Amino acid sequence: IEPFNFNRLQLPRNMIENSMFEEEPDVVDLAKEPCLHPLEPDEVEYEPRGSRLLVRGLGEHELDEDEEDYESSAKLLGMSFMNRSSGLRNSAAGYRPNSDGTCSAHSARTVGVCIFIIIVAVAIIMMIYLLPRCTFTKEGCHKKNQPMEPIQPIATNGKLFPWAQIRLPTAVAPVRYDLTLHPNLTSMTFRGSVTISLQALQATWNIVLHSTGHNISRVTFMTAVSSQEKEVDVLEYPLHEQIAIVAPETLLEGHNYTLKIEYSANISSSSYGFYGISYRDESNEKKYFAATQFEPLAARSAFPCFDEPAFKATFVIRIKRDEQYTALSNMPKKSSVVLEDGLVQDEFFESVKMSTYLVAFIVGEMKNLSQDVNGTLVSIYAVPEKIGQVHHALETTVKLLDFYQNYFEIQYPLKKLDLVAIPDFEAGAMENWGLLTFREETLLYDGNTSSVADRKLVTKIIAHELAHQWFGNLVTMQWWNDLWLNEGFATFMEYFSLEKIFGELSSYEDFLDARFKTMRKDALNSSHPISSSSVQSSEQIEEMFDSLSYFKGASLLLMLKTYLSEDIFQHAIILYLHNHSYTSTHSDDLWDSFNEVSDLDIYLALKLWYQGQFLRERGMELSVQMFMDKMFPFYYSSLWHIPLSYVTDGKNYSKHRSVSLLDKKSGVINLTEEVQWIKVNTDMTGYYIVHYADDNWEALIKQLKTNPYVLSDKDRANLINNIFELAGLGKVSLQRAFDLIDYLRNETYTAPISEALFQTELIYNLLDKLGHMDLASRLVNKVFKLLQSQIQQQTWTDEGTPSTRELRSVLLDFACTHSLENCSAAALKLFNDWMASNGTQSLPTDVMATVFKAGAKTEGGWSFLLSKYVSLGSEAEKNKILEALASSEDVRKLYWLMKKSLDGDLIRTQKLSFIIRTVARHFPGHLLAWDFVKENWSKLVQKFHLGSYTIQSIVAGSTHLFSTKAHLSEVQAFFENQSEATFQLRCVQEALEVIQLNMQWVEKNLKTLTYWL
Ligand SMILES: [Zn+2]
């Protein structure tokens, strides 16, 4: 699954500076987080982490240059332990804990004793903090919002339900489903019948499986030996969406049985499960369409099944339909029979063995374009009037399919591969085996209105879903806690394949940007390890679909690939796919495959990266100290094995990109020549932030000013990102960060300019929302002066490489948003010409949204855009119009837009989260958007499900620019009043944390900004 447009989602600010560090050292920090970190026996040796590390780091390198720096590095590394209360004193002899008199050190021995005492004290306090909250099991400790299991669940008929857990028992496993469905698209109901062949893996009386919203009319049971059907009773337990069948006889281990269930249900009106939609075709006739979206938990609402990813089985699907419709499913069609009542029944071939969440079927009026690729028929489907927009998708799919088959050395196993653009679809796309489903805007490409960003989006999402045919479909995670095995890989492969076969698209820029934003989010306390052990409830499962599973997963794979080399990496994943085809895995299976092809103990090296959370935000930041003798010791936590790469200005090292693993507490790189500076984390292939010593920052800044091109554009963007993140932490002054981007006058590449604009725009947004208009405009002027010449060079065309076209789009949007140069006038002229031609005159696509935004500022322009929105056929163009409509300064219009999208008629509900985010970003709408979310919360949750990425995006989008205490209390009170489960949602905790960090940022930087901006 590809949640719609993570990349464009404004991830929350992360200013890691944590007051609790300064006021209440060690204990609070260590005790607050344990429930997020599954403790395993082999990690015990690291405890107590902070103290030991700091002591060693400081003791061994008796550095006397800048004690502040020590303190910083200590904090960065998560070693709050000795900061304030232990008080570093300016003494070459060592450190003197705490002035309260417990210790006063003047000799190494006393220091040792003090440290020992402190360690013991911390250990005791930790025990006290930890014990009541956690039970240390292999699974770690459980989250608070995990639902309590009733001891004796009662079924709807008042009888005892034989199973009390959320996860199904494993005594019985499905082997094959035979499913017949008859949907009625006008009455929005369907009838179904499913025959499930089962195998008993243990002796049992009960068959427990998933089913929800079904009106079950008849259940029969059959043993393999006597083929006689026996009608049996069914017990329903809606809380867990389970039913139980009490068999008429004991099921014996190893024997096969058959269960047949007949039922009816409503076709869902949300975009989840088996759902129906209506739309108007070009002659304004109302049309009906039904499709499925089962991941993660909705297959159970379409048919009773064992709805967990590890229960793989084969599926035979039959669909009864009216003649004018086309029916599609995972497999090719086997037969089509006209029934007595004039209906047609399509039967599809028996599927390969797969998980229930990958089952899919679609009924609607569609056309397609197809091409054969070595025996696999690739088809792109769309509603008939949009068949002209499928060529790009077909070409792209054919190339990518070929690439993946070669790269994985495994043929795509089905005879067909359909990609379908669905008129209403909540996610971005879904990887159902053989039947990929998409939003229209993520599959269709219109030469006249799709921008280069749209082309990249379509290409990337196809690449993502195709990669899932191997990662996810062929080999599946055993349970949702390892979702990253699906999504991290698909995301990694998406960028990797694009770089290999569509290099001209420069998709590395997007991947880099995604890594920056993911680290911001990951640095929040509310973040989570990508492989989490406490995932049980449906909200917890939904919450796994966040940008960490996708982009942190992908970032770690990139780091691994860079370290191991491309060949070994490829070899390992081929092995993994071969070894686990048609089965399910957990993360260790992946590390095992890497260990087989590499000398390195990957598990040891990487497990902290994927399990670690404890020291994550502080631990990954690397402090670099430069010495006169050109040696570079690195401080870091022993918990982290950090793949280090670097470049320097020296002749011998300028191209030094090899990666070494730092697996000790400090490391030294010996250079054979004198260098001015070192840049660590070459091309930002490592998932960490680097903090340099003052003189190294200065040397880097000087280098950027004299000749920035010594460093790659990725490195330049990386430096901009790191220095602003560190400035947010207070580790570097904001002024120095601005000093670094001073070189932008000479910058011509997209990645560094985009990152600088992103960082400064965040600051602008905070100032603007607090009403510091003067300061905000001074900031804009400062940035404008840096980019003035680049802005002046831009033309209102679609000329150039994809990368320069995107740069144009970013720069002109910046200039027009802040009314710089004569940008708005030029945009308005283009808009007026376009409007005068009734929208027939073609506009340059990359700046189309900017042109529309200029036009939407006038009353007539806004109304004209709305009329075009309703009547146009290109989703790419409609999205640009919608962005312009939602950027209006008229709050009545903004409110009306959100309301209409919630209704879902004129503007589809799938657009709502995008509208809310856009409205909230600008001053006139930012309070309105939050009001709207509060007012309509129950409807939003009903439509999008608690914990879903749409809800995550709405909560973050409507709150991430708040920076006052009043707003913090209000947001907190609002969610507290909903329910405990709502308040505990990760996105809610994240929203609160972001507001607090914004407050701290403002408090810390406002005065300084006033002074020097
Ligand atoms: Zn996916």
Side-chain angles (χ1 to χ4, degrees), residues 1-3 295 429 431 464-465 468 486-487 490-491 545 550:
I1 194 168
E2 172 76 357
E295 191 179 21
E431 70 265 22
H464 181 103
E465 305 309 332
H468 272 312
N486 274 12
E487 298 303 350
T491 306
F545 291 85
Y550 287 73

Side-chain angles (χ1 to χ4, degrees), residues 58-332:
L58 296 172
E60 282 177 4
H61 311 276
E62 298 203 333
L63 306 174
D64 54 359
E65 289 162 324
D66 182 2
E67 69 176 42
E68 269 298 307
D69 243 81
Y70 290 28
E71 201 161 353
S72 310
S73 58
K75 269 202 266 178
L76 285 170
L77 295 169
M79 298 170 292
S80 54
F81 174 57
M82 287 186 70
N83 284 344
R84 183 178 282 183
S85 66
S86 311
L88 295 175
R89 294 291 173 267
N90 190 10
S91 150
Y95 303 95
R96 196 170 31 187
N98 208 317
S99 54
D100 66 6
T102 41
C103 278
S104 144
H106 294 286
S107 72
R109 221 187 73 200
T110 327
V111 172
V113 173
C114 285
I115 287 160
F116 178 76
I117 292 168
I118 292 166
I119 290 171
V120 170
V122 170
I124 291 168
I125 297 165
M126 271 181 60
M127 292 282 280
I128 292 165
Y129 265 78
L130 295 178
L131 280 177
R133 301 181 183 197
C134 270
T135 316
F136 293 122
T137 62
K138 179 81 178 160
E139 281 73 41
C141 37
H142 299 283
K143 270 181 89 167
K144 259 196 244 160
N145 65 343
Q146 192 177 316
M148 295 289 286
E149 312 286 1
I151 296 163
Q152 288 190 322
I154 306 294
T156 46
N157 63 1
K159 290 185 181 169
L160 217 57
F161 191 81
W163 188 250
Q165 292 172 40
I166 296 179
R167 299 281 299 268
L168 295 179
T170 50
V172 176
V175 179
R176 179 181 190 264
Y177 293 85
D178 204 315
L179 176 66
T180 306
L181 289 170
H182 177 200
N184 182 332
L185 298 191
T186 36
S187 71
M188 288 282 277
T189 56
F190 68 98
R191 282 202 314 269
S193 153
V194 62
T195 305
I196 313 175
S197 311
L198 306 162
Q199 188 174 39
L201 305 175
Q202 290 160 28
T204 180
W205 277 91
N206 302 309
I207 304 166
V208 182
L209 65 160
H210 289 110
S211 156
T212 181
H214 299 146
N215 193 352
I216 296 175
S217 50
R218 189 163 186 264
V219 182
T220 53
F221 176 86
M222 226 164 41
T223 64
V225 243
S226 83
S227 58
Q228 200 162 28
E229 286 188 6
K230 281 182 201 155
E231 193 161 346
V232 287
D233 285 340
V234 60
L235 299 168
E236 299 179 42
Y237 188 57
L239 186 66
H240 289 170
E241 304 184 330
Q242 290 169 353
I243 55 172
I245 282 99
V246 181
E249 56 191 271
T250 318
L251 277 62
L252 303 172
E253 186 182 330
H255 286 227
N256 293 328
Y257 303 88
T258 307
L259 197 61
K260 187 175 177 189
I261 304 172
E262 286 164 41
Y263 62 101
S264 62
N266 290 327
I267 294 179
S268 163
S269 56
S270 74
S271 302
Y272 193 42
F274 182 29
Y275 69 96
I277 46 179
S278 62
Y279 64 97
R280 302 219 168 247
D281 71 0
E282 43 195 354
S283 50
N284 206 27
E285 198 184 328
K286 196 168 184 181
K287 297 282 182 179
Y288 297 94
F289 200 98
T292 55
Q293 168 60 44
F294 288 164
E295 191 179 21
L297 307 174
R300 63 190 66 172
S301 66
F303 58 101
C305 58
F306 295 77
D307 198 10
E308 292 184 6
F311 283 117
K312 290 192 175 187
T314 64
F315 296 83
V316 173
I317 292 170
R318 279 179 219 93
I319 292 181
K320 290 182 194 170
R321 58 170 171 91
D322 285 340
E323 204 189 340
Q324 79 268 27
Y325 291 122
T326 304
L328 298 171
S329 184
N330 305 84
M331 301 300 290

Side-chain angles (χ1 to χ4, degrees), residues 477-531:
M477 77 266 144
Q478 253 174 32
W479 182 243
W480 301 105
N481 67 320
D482 273 327
L483 181 69
W484 85 277
L485 284 175
N486 274 12
E487 298 303 350
F489 256 109
T491 306
F492 172 81
M493 289 311 301
E494 152 192 342
Y495 292 107
F496 182 71
S497 63
L498 254 65
E499 236 181 293
K500 291 283 175 193
I501 51 175
F502 300 102
E504 74 283 0
L505 289 179
S506 305
S507 62
Y508 73 88
E509 289 168 356
D510 304 276
F511 193 15
L512 187 65
D513 182 56
R515 298 203 293 282
F516 292 153
K517 295 200 170 113
T518 307
M519 285 212 300
R520 291 180 77 78
K521 188 178 159 84
D522 197 13
L524 297 171
N525 286 330
S526 46
S527 182
H528 63 96
I530 56 170
S531 182

